[in-house]
Structures are given as C-alpha cells and as structure tokens.
Amino acid sequence: MSRAEALREEAGATPEQFWHKAAQALQWERLPETAYDPENDAWFPDGRLNTCFNAVDRHVAEGRGEQAALIYESPVTGSSAQFSYSELLDRVSRTAGMLAEAGVEKGDRVVIYMPMVPEAVFAMLACARIGAVHSVVFGGFAAPELAKRIDDCRPVVVLSASCGIEPGRTIAYKPLLDQAIALSAHKPARSIILQREQLRCDLSEGRDIDWETAYAAASPVGCTPVAATDPLYILYTSGTTGTPKGVVRDNGGHATALRWSMEHIYGVSAGDVYWAASDIGWVVGHSYIVYGPLLAGCTTILFEGKPVGTPDAGVFWRLAEKHRVKVLFTAPTAIRAIRRADPDGEFIDESDLSSLQALFLAGERADPDTLLWIAEKLGKPVIDHWWQTEIGWPAVATCFGLGETEVRVGSAGRAVPGFRFRVKDDAGDAVAPGTVGNLLIEQPLPPGAFRSLWNNPERYAAGFVDFPGHYTSGDAGMIDDDGFIHIMGRTDDIINVAGHRLSTGQMEEIVANHEHVVECAVVGASDELKGEMPVAFVVTRSGVDGGQDVVQGIVTMIREGIGPIATPRTVLFVDSLPKTRSGKVLRNLLRSILNGDEIVVPQTIEDASVIEKLLAAVE
Ligand code: COA
Ligand code: AMP
C-alpha cells in the first residue's frame, strides 16, 4: 500500500487521532485534549493558539528570522521587495498596533479592500495577531458588493488604498470605498488608507486615517491567544442569490489543515519557495499566498500582475527562475492565456526552471488540452486539484508530497486524506462508479472546512439537508473504479469566469432592473480563454428594440453592480425565454443552445417552438 493510501485509510478510520497528530505541528498556547466535539461539530474545542504566531513569530524564534518570508513582485508598478521573517514580524506587529490604536479589539471585524500590496498581507496577519476577524474583499468588486459585505460583517475599520493597478489603467479605490460606505447601513468608524504614488486620494475628514502616519506612530503589539474555534476570517463567496455567503474560517482547524497540506499535498517545507499566482481576495490567496506557506515556514510570493501583458507571457517563468520557485499554483485560465500568447512555449524554453518540481491548477475545470500542453512544455508534473471557498484547502488532489504523481487527465485526483466523497443521484441513492451525480462529502468535514456562515446559520444548514449526513458541494462529479474523482461542473447557477466564482442569479437580479427589460436569464457560455463567460438573454418591453444603447446599459449595470470581472460576453435579445409549464426558465437548454451542444428537448417545456427562434438569435 502506498503512503498516500495508508494515510487515506488512517484518516478515514481514526480521524480524531489523525488530526490530533497533525495539530502537533503547530505551537499551541493550550494543546487541545479533545480532537473533535461531535455535538458542536468543532475541531480542537479546548485548544488555544494564535495563527499569526505560528505563521510569523515562531519562525523567528526557531532561527529562520533572516530567511525571506514574503517576496513582492509587481510588474504593473515596476517594483519588487523582499521581507525576511524578522522584517515580517516587525511589519505585522506594528500594523497590529495601528489597528489596536484605531479601536480594533479581539472579535471585531476588519474589512480589507486592497490591491495586491504587502501591506494587505501585513494587515491580514495583524488581524490574526490581535484576534480580530478579517474580511478581504476582492479589489475587482464594485461598490455595491463591498457595501453588502460591510453591512453583513459590520467592521469597526475598513483598510483600503488609494488605487489598484490594472494593465494600462489605474483604478481609484477611494471613490468606490466612499460609495460603498454611502450605500451601507453600517458605517465603519474608521478607514485607514494607504496612499500609493500612482494615484493619491483626498482623505475624508473625521473618518479616514493616513496609513503611513498611523503606522509610523504605532507600537508593536504581541499575539493574543484565541480559542481554536474562534473565527480567523470571513470570506464572502457567490451563492445562487444576490446575497453572498460569508464563509467563516476558524483558527485551529484551519492552521492544522493548511500546515498539513503544504507538506503532504504540495511537497514543500520550511525554506522552500512556494508561489500561488492568485489574488488575496479569493480563497486560494488566503490559503496559499498567505497562511499555508507562512505556517510552513516557506517563502511566499505576492504577485501584482497578470500572466500575460505585464509585460509578456514569460513573466511566470522568469519569476520562477529568479526566485527558485519549487511549486507554482495558478488557474487554468492563466495557462490558456500564456499559451495563446506563446503557443510554442518559447518563454518556457528560455527560463531555467530546474527548481520547479510541480505546477498545480485549481479554481475551475482544467481542460485536458491545456493541461497536456503545459505538462509537455514544462516537462514536470502538472496537477489539477479541486476545492472551494467553503472547504478552504484541497479536497481532491494528487498528493505530490506523499509521492503520488499519477495524473489521470480529466480527473482532479483522488480524495485527499480526511475527505470521504460520495456521489448520489437526486433521490439520494448512491450511484455506481463511473456514473455522474451530486458530489457530496460525508460529515464531519475535516479541519479547515467551514463550520458556519456569518449571520446565517439557516443558509449554512441548507448545505447539509438535501443529503443528510453529507455536505452538498454544488458540483456534479463522478468517481471512477480507481477512486479518481472527475468534476463535471456546477449543479446550480454559479459560473466560473477566469477562476472567479460568480452567481448568474445575481446578474439576473441586476439585468431585470433595467428599465427596458421584462425578463432575462443569464447563463455561462463556454469560453476558450476564461472557461466560462456570462451571456444574458433578454426580453425587452413591447415597443422597445434591443439596440446598442440597451446592451451598453446592461453591461454598465453589471460592471457597476458586481464589477468588471462579471462583464457579459454578449447580450442577446429574444422574444421569449424557454420555460417549463410551471414557468421555470430552462437554463440548461439555453446553455446547450449557446454552446452548440446536442439539444435534448425537455418534456416539461411549455412551447418547444421557442427553440428555433433561440437558435436563430444565437447565430
Ligand atoms: N481590480 C480591478 N479590476 C479588476 C481586477 C482587480 N483586482 N481584476 C480584474 N479586473 C478587471 C480587469 O481590468 C478587466 O476590466 P476591463 O473589462 O475594463 O478590461 C475585467 O476586470 C476582467 O478582468 P480579467 O478577468 O482579469 O480579464 P482580462 O481579459 O483583463 O485578462 C486573463 C485575462 C486571462 C489575463 C486574466 O483573466 C487572468 O489573469 N486570469 C487568471 C485569474 C486567476 O489567476 N484566477 C485565480 C483565482 S484562483
Ligand atoms: P471557489 O469557491 O471560488 O474556489 O470556487 C469553487 C468552485 O470552482 C468549485 O465548486 C468548482 O465548481 C470550481 N472548481 C474549483 N477547482 C476546480 C477543479 N480543479 N476542476 C473543476 N472545477 C473546479
């Protein structure tokens, strides 16, 4: 039996011992005696620790103070910087002092709406240091999305910057923040604003504090131990409605799982350079730019740029060479973009990638063509793996760190030790191997996975009711005879655009508000670059022709309501939408029509003649 199989068995048979042993890799203020409390579904209920201590202070105390902890590479500003663990400790403890000075206390929420700058990472760790709960909001979200999050988690302080930088343009954050605070019912007492030279902003008197001034005046503060079950962060993610779900992550289970994953899934340990080319606004950024690599004593890279165009498709490989990156993690979209710009992989050939041992992909489906292309060009293992914001760390993977290298194209790997997957049909019956159904995970979920949704226990519980005893992932999947799990896409109205999880239901709510729109449906169309892109089917009021003005109006509403990442690829005007006799829009049919898939006319369709018209509209 392989080591991975042995651990799968051990974690399945005796999860409490397994995770209690894994927890010993951390330093606890009080080591938990109880691994798991079934009544409250809580890991390490009597343990106390500080996540920041384990990610920062502990490495300095253990003699790694001079080692690089964080490398900042920003091709969009033409700058880079490096922080050793000692420097990180200094920055983080002073940032924590700055937060304390601004009135933040243990348990308070802090919203972080920032670009990919080192101060954002210091701020996340600073919150962890004082037991405050951060909620990072992706910088590409528009003001109404920020407002929803402010209203839901009610932060004492918002941390932001004067601007973010996208290729070719500077995004003024301050007007977005002001608009969000104007829209929200909850008014944070303070905002602390980092001025960036690329675009400075005016500060609002009475509310805004200049980051640099406050930081300079702050004294360093130490770590506040918290209960393992206390929240570390809230990260909002798209659900099927316009209201995002506030996934709550605890401290003890999270640190245990991430620390374990670095060694056993990714195969890295203290001193190795690990680079997740994602954004801190997403779960990948939380887990594998910030917490995972730092908990393991690795060097992590914060990249403010794009896979192409900053300045070219060679930037990943040049940086991997420059910093001797051992493991790189990115989204398949990034590889598709690189391939499009450099089809022969010339930039790859020009780089010395001898340090690189594996490339990991996640966040969306890795299409076999892209995966095989990059595997061939790199000549290294390319490992697809699957997880979600709710889960917090990989649940399906080829455990490279355990010596697994067999990759089955089309599959995201096997269950990671600790996760017990089941596939069931809609009636709740287990399906045979090789059959697609609802992808479920047996309870209890291992450490690191969510245990609640902020302010919304009912919505959390809803994730467990359809299949009692199981978490419903929302993905369709299939497990083959050898235990490889194949992810087939979502079973709900969530789409994945360039690795960004978005709700089509939310887009529909926005489009329906357009003055000329009677009804609409938004579905994800396959997209060669971004995996999926939203397409809006729109029925206009009688007498109103769908013209360029209406298209522009709808596009602007989505960009200003959700953010530019949700920009629809097309708006299609149709006479009517395909519906069931009970009035439900047949979104799967729309998706098939758009993607040119075989059309199966549903028995329940109210009027099948609409299909011909839709096919004509799509042409
Ligand atoms: N702040 C503000 N705006 C942002 C933003 C941010 N953090 N991120 C993206 N946007 C904007 C872009 O500027 C763009 O605006 P535009 O429509 O006005 O041009 C829009 O959102 C779409 O951006 P993006 O999805 O990045 O598309 P693109 O066409 O500019 O770039 C890729 C294409 C492939 C280079 C890009 O999608 C990419 O890097 N994908 C990989 C994403 C990734 O790593 N995801 C990981 C999640 S795990
Ligand atoms: P997020 O919560 O933003 O990380 O998005 C999670 C969703 O992205 C999952 O439910 C899947 O639908 C999709 N996803 C993530 N990783 C993969 C993968 N490796 N293959 C297919 N889909 C994936």
Side-chain angles (χ1 to χ4, degrees):
M1 188 188 285
S2 72
R3 192 164 163 233
E5 279 162 27
L7 287 194
R8 261 181 211 108
E9 259 193 41
E10 189 188 328
T14 52
E16 297 185 21
Q17 285 95 314
F18 184 89
W19 290 114
H20 196 262
K21 196 161 71 186
Q24 323 271 322
L26 302 172
Q27 281 199 19
W28 295 78
E29 196 229 4
R30 189 167 74 222
L31 190 69
E33 282 179 22
T34 306
Y36 178 69
D37 164 13
E39 204 168 311
N40 297 300
D41 185 25
W43 285 96
F44 315 122
D46 56 346
R48 290 184 72 78
L49 81 170
N50 183 281
T51 297
C52 178
F53 179 86
N54 278 280
V56 185
D57 305 51
R58 136 176 221 186
H59 302 305
V60 177
E62 288 176 358
R64 278 193 296 282
E66 296 313 303
Q67 183 203 308
L70 176 70
I71 294 173
Y72 168 58
E73 284 286 356
S74 173
V76 290
T77 58
S79 58
S80 53
Q82 188 159 318
F83 304 87
S84 66
Y85 270 101
S86 295
E87 286 162 340
L88 184 64
L89 174 58
D90 180 54
R91 302 287 180 130
V92 171
S93 48
R94 281 178 193 280
T95 307
M98 174 179 89
L99 292 179
E101 195 60 39
V104 180
E105 294 179 1
K106 180 173 179 287
D108 286 344
R109 273 79 58 216
V110 174
V111 161
I112 302 178
Y113 181 62
M114 293 186 72
M116 290 279 286
V117 292
E119 286 79 1
V121 177
F122 305 153
M124 291 167 75
L125 293 163
C127 289
R129 191 170 191 83
I130 57 175
V133 181
H134 62 69
S135 187
V136 181
V137 179
F138 174 59
F141 277 129
E145 285 298 299
L146 178 57
K148 281 182 201 169
R149 287 153 174 81
I150 289 175
D151 266 339
D152 195 61
C153 76
R154 305 175 66 80
V156 172
V157 165
V158 178
L159 303 177
S160 192
S162 55
C163 68
I165 297 149
E166 281 292 290
R169 72 193 167 113
T170 305
I171 311 226
Y173 273 26
K174 187 57 185 0
L176 296 173
L177 175 65
D178 289 345
Q179 195 192 337
I181 293 178
L183 284 171
S184 62
H186 171 78
K187 308 290 176 196
R190 291 264 175 266
S191 2
I192 306 180
I193 311 288
L194 180 74
Q195 294 281 13
R196 301 186 81 188
E197 285 317 314
Q198 290 77 12
L199 181 72
R200 295 180 72 87
C201 63
D202 292 333
L203 299 184
S204 311
E205 212 166 310
R207 190 196 73 204
D208 293 343
I209 301 174
D210 174 59
W211 189 303
E212 211 178 302
T213 313
Y215 177 82
S219 309
V221 299
C223 294
T224 303
V226 297
T229 50
D230 278 344
L232 170 69
Y233 70 75
I234 305 166
L235 179 58
Y236 288 87
T237 189
S238 298
T240 48
T241 68
T243 312
K245 302 183 342 181
V247 166
V248 180
R249 195 81 60 213
D250 69 9
N251 274 274
H254 172 252
T256 301
L258 289 192
R259 178 81 173 73
W260 188 92
S261 71
M262 293 305 292
E263 182 186 340
H264 299 90
I265 297 178
Y266 298 107
V268 291
S269 51
D272 289 334
V273 183
Y274 179 96
W275 177 16
S278 175
D279 190 290
I280 49 157
W282 306 110
V283 72
V284 174
H286 280 61
S287 295
Y288 294 112
I289 296 175
V290 183
Y291 290 109
L294 295 177
L295 284 164
C298 295
T299 300
T300 186
I301 298 184
L302 182 74
F303 174 66
E304 190 182 25
K306 301 268 177 175
V308 293
T310 60
D312 56 37
V315 67
F316 274 18
W317 320 122
R318 279 194 301 276
L319 290 179
E321 173 181 331
K322 177 177 170 191
H323 297 298
R324 307 287 304 153
V325 170
K326 187 170 174 187
V327 166
L328 175 61
F329 176 168
T330 192
T333 296
I335 303 299
R336 286 194 291 268
I338 290 172
R339 182 183 184 184
R340 187 182 268 193
D342 179 21
D344 296 325
E346 286 175 18
F347 284 117
I348 298 175
D349 293 341
E350 283 167 15
S351 309
D352 170 4
L353 296 176
S354 52
S355 64
L356 189 70
Q357 293 198 351
L359 169 70
F360 282 79
L361 301 175
E364 56 177 320
R365 178 171 177 269
D367 56 288
D369 196 33
T370 303
L371 192 136
L372 291 171
W373 178 83
I374 191 64
E376 197 254 316
K377 295 293 170 213
L378 287 175
K380 322 257 179 191
V382 175
I383 298 175
D384 181 18
H385 60 327
W386 175 95
W387 46 300
Q388 315 174 300
T389 308
E390 292 86 338
I391 309 284
W393 62 290
V396 179
T398 295
C399 290
F400 186 65
L402 287 170
E404 284 189 326
T405 48
E406 190 196 345
V407 168
R408 190 163 289 188
V409 175
S411 157
R414 291 190 169 100
V416 166
F419 289 93
R420 294 176 305 269
F421 280 89
R422 300 284 175 263
V423 178
K424 295 193 176 187
D425 61 21
D426 289 346
D429 295 321
V431 300
T435 309
V436 176
N438 296 287
L439 189 69
L440 313 173
I441 309 176
E442 228 177 74
Q443 283 185 290
L445 297 175
F450 74 150
R451 301 255 80 88
S452 59
L453 290 176
W454 190 257
N455 275 341
N456 210 334
E458 299 80 17
R459 202 170 179 191
Y460 175 76
F464 298 84
V465 289
D466 289 347
F467 302 92
H470 296 81
Y471 164 66
T472 306
S473 71
D475 278 35
M478 176 268 271
I479 306 180
D480 69 19
D481 286 324
D482 303 317
F484 283 89
I485 301 178
H486 302 246
I487 309 293
M488 316 305 288
R490 297 286 305 189
T491 56
D492 53 19
D493 295 331
I494 287 170
I495 60 169
N496 212 308
V497 182
H500 307 323
R501 173 170 159 178
L502 299 169
S503 157
T504 54
Q506 183 183 3
M507 295 178 205
E508 288 174 5
E509 284 176 24
I510 291 177
V511 179
N513 279 331
H514 189 284
E515 55 174 336
H516 296 319
V517 173
V518 178
E519 57 176 354
C520 67
V522 179
V523 295
S526 302
D527 186 83
E528 254 181 38
L529 177 65
K530 298 190 177 184
E532 281 183 296
M533 278 197 83
V535 168
F537 287 84
V538 168
V539 180
T540 49
R541 285 185 199 293
S542 65
V544 178
D545 282 337
Q548 212 35 48
D549 284 358
V550 183
V551 172
Q552 209 39 56
I554 289 172
V555 168
T556 304
M557 284 171 82
I558 292 186
R559 288 175 66 94
E560 290 179 354
I562 302 176
I565 48 166
T567 307
R569 188 170 71 187
T570 332
V571 176
L572 293 170
F573 296 100
V574 291
D575 292 340
S576 58
L577 296 172
K579 289 189 185 157
T580 61
R581 281 185 281 278
S582 60
K584 203 167 162 270
V585 175
L586 291 159
R587 289 186 176 73
N588 283 344
L589 178 63
L590 287 173
R591 211 171 293 126
S592 305
I593 290 173
L594 267 180
N595 293 339
D597 297 341
E598 190 195 338
I599 292 170
V600 182
V601 181
Q603 299 262 316
T604 51
I605 195 163
E606 186 191 27
D607 172 13
S609 72
V610 72
I611 296 177
E612 285 305 317
K613 291 186 194 155
L614 287 166
L615 282 167
V618 168
E619 293 229 327

